[in-house]
Amino acid sequence: MTAPARFRFPVKGKVAVFRGKHFRARGAAGMWPYAELLPGPDRPAPEGLAPREGADGSVGYPVAPERLDAWEAVHWTFRWRGELFKCTAATTATYSGNYLGSDEHFAKEHLKRLAITYRGVFPRTEVTELTLHREDLIQPLHALVRRLDEADHFRPRTYAVHRGRTYPAADEADASGLIALTTGDDRPKDLIADPQDPGGERFLATPAQLDAWYRTYWTFCWERGPFDAVGTVDGRLKGVYTGGSWGFADSWQLTHEPEPGAYTRYTVTADLDGVTDLEHQRTDLIASAGAPLDLQMGERVYRFIRDRQTEDEKGPKGYNSEVGRELWNLSQDYANAVEAGDMDEAGRRLGALMVKADQWKSHPHHAVVSAGVPSP
């Protein structure tokens, strides 16, 4: 954009200083937290950086923020006839700006209305108090990177404790009831090596051989809706909606991410400053792994889901009938597996039921229903 007279900064946008030279800049898409320098007609390409073409065909030069002298968001304000404006454009003869004041009579008399704002174009000679405003982007970015690193980007993790040592572990036991532990250079003598791991860094344990086996994850609220965190995207927190309102997902335009064999998943990617109730959770997997499976457990989960479907009047068209048939078939398959003594199949069917029940995780009866149910 054209800069105000005698200044090297744009009217608004981001500016980075690399090796003492100023460049327009933007966040480097897909390379967060990198910045991308944008040379212009009066600014040659920065030396020592490789160019990259953007989706719009523009060419930028990605650079790590720690290599920058400065990175700032800038904008200008000015006054015309004593009233404050935010500069939106500049030419050799005029300044344009959006009105920041509150005098409705002044605005209607002198300015043009654009949607909910008033704007005007004014001769340079009539503009006073032209002021540059600069917001530092480097320090807040470094603070955010540290915060995300400390929280491991809010990713869910599973761990197992064997003889007092903690190892990354599988989320679920295999078909033989064994749990895979990633041990690295450590070689636990009383555990068997995983035959499917050619690197020899994974060992198998039974639940009885472990001091603990648990999953950690983060939960948060966004716009008062509950979410499970699954990681970060470009410094923003991504979460899966765990509430039961299709109306909420539709109203806030959550991203629809269908998963094969699971319920419809809705996600959001939000700024950390925009979330509340960010809490670290822990689920004991050994207790869940040892829970008995019986007919009453499946019936309890089935009835909970049916009651919630009846209450939810905002579901998509055909929701109750189509999903209801699938739900009935799952509950019958579970009951048949329990009666046949096939606990592996029963566990899979119950897990599928609980995935559907988790759509209403925020419901006060969910904790009662899920008590003692093995994690899927």
Side-chain angles (χ1 to χ4, degrees):
M1 236 180 228
T2 304
R6 300 183 304 279
F7 293 100
R8 60 178 175 272
F9 296 102
V11 169
K12 59 179 179 179
K14 295 179 180 179
V15 174
V17 183
F18 178 68
R19 295 180 178 176
K21 297 180 179 180
H22 290 75
F23 297 88
R24 286 195 309 114
R26 64 189 177 196
M31 294 182 64
W32 188 90
Y34 276 48
E36 200 162 51
L37 308 183
L38 305 172
D42 58 342
R43 177 66 64 190
E47 297 180 0
L49 298 180
R52 188 180 75 147
E53 184 174 348
D56 60 356
S58 62
V59 176
Y61 292 77
V63 57
E66 57 268 21
R67 297 184 62 190
L68 296 174
D69 304 326
W71 188 14
E72 301 170 326
V74 301
H75 71 274
W76 296 79
T77 58
F78 61 82
R79 290 187 181 274
W80 181 73
R81 297 191 178 181
E83 295 290 335
L84 188 63
F85 291 81
K86 182 175 182 179
C87 187
T88 57
T91 69
T92 56
T94 63
Y95 288 124
S96 300
N98 290 336
Y99 181 47
L100 299 180
S102 58
D103 188 334
E104 190 76 14
H105 176 74
F106 171 87
K108 289 181 177 179
E109 181 178 0
H110 299 290
L111 308 174
K112 292 184 179 180
R113 184 157 191 165
L114 179 64
I116 61 173
T117 63
Y118 287 95
R119 64 183 304 178
V121 181
F122 315 104
R124 282 178 178 262
T125 55
E126 297 181 11
V127 167
T128 62
E129 298 182 35
L130 182 64
T131 304
L132 172 65
H133 302 266
R134 301 157 70 168
E135 176 189 355
D136 179 30
L137 299 178
I138 290 285
Q139 294 307 317
L141 178 61
H142 288 333
L144 177 58
V145 170
R146 287 194 299 270
R147 183 180 179 188
L148 297 185
D149 284 342
E150 291 168 0
D152 195 21
H153 285 255
F154 301 100
R155 286 185 284 259
R157 296 296 190 195
T158 301
Y159 299 96
V161 182
H162 175 258
R163 295 186 179 275
R165 297 194 63 173
T166 302
Y167 303 99
D171 295 332
E172 58 184 19
D174 63 17
S176 302
L178 299 177
I179 302 157
L181 281 59
T182 302
T183 62
D185 294 334
D186 187 13
R187 298 290 187 267
K189 294 180 180 179
D190 57 338
L191 301 184
I192 59 175
D194 186 348
Q196 299 190 17
D197 176 30
E201 295 187 347
R202 233 173 26 225
F203 283 74
L204 302 176
T206 66
Q209 291 176 295
L210 300 176
D211 305 324
W213 179 34
Y214 58 92
R215 178 176 180 266
T216 64
Y217 60 102
W218 295 81
T219 57
F220 66 91
C221 290
W222 178 78
E223 299 297 342
R224 300 184 179 181
F227 292 81
D228 280 353
V230 293
T232 58
V233 177
D234 287 346
R236 306 174 74 211
L237 184 59
K238 181 176 181 179
V240 177
Y241 177 56
T242 57
S245 171
W246 179 85
F248 177 90
D250 182 61
S251 297
W252 291 104
Q253 297 184 338
L254 302 185
T255 302
H256 178 199
E257 295 184 8
E259 290 189 322
Y263 69 92
T264 298
R265 177 169 118 149
Y266 292 95
T267 65
V268 70
T269 303
D271 291 326
L272 282 176
D273 292 342
V275 307
T276 61
D277 305 309
L278 185 58
E279 296 180 355
H280 203 201
Q281 310 289 349
R282 172 169 166 161
T283 299
D284 184 359
L285 299 180
I286 285 186
S288 298
L293 301 181
D294 56 31
L295 293 174
Q296 289 72 27
M297 187 177 292
E299 179 70 8
R300 187 170 74 240
V301 178
Y302 169 75
R303 290 299 177 188
F304 171 81
I305 300 172
R306 286 299 297 155
D307 289 346
R308 302 292 78 74
Q309 288 178 340
T310 300
E311 293 173 357
D312 188 359
E313 297 178 354
K314 295 182 179 180
K317 186 177 180 181
Y319 178 82
N320 285 344
S321 59
E322 182 178 345
V323 177
R325 284 193 297 272
E326 180 185 1
L327 177 64
W328 171 257
N329 290 336
L330 275 175
S331 67
Q332 292 305 297
D333 290 342
Y334 169 81
N336 293 337
V338 171
E339 291 181 337
D342 188 349
M343 293 299 105
D344 287 341
E345 179 63 17
R348 285 190 286 271
R349 297 299 179 178
L350 184 60
L353 283 170
M354 278 309 301
V355 166
K356 296 182 180 299
D358 283 348
Q359 295 179 74
W360 295 276
K361 191 177 288 187
S362 59
H363 193 277
H365 293 169
H366 183 274
V368 177
V369 169
S370 59
V373 177
S375 297

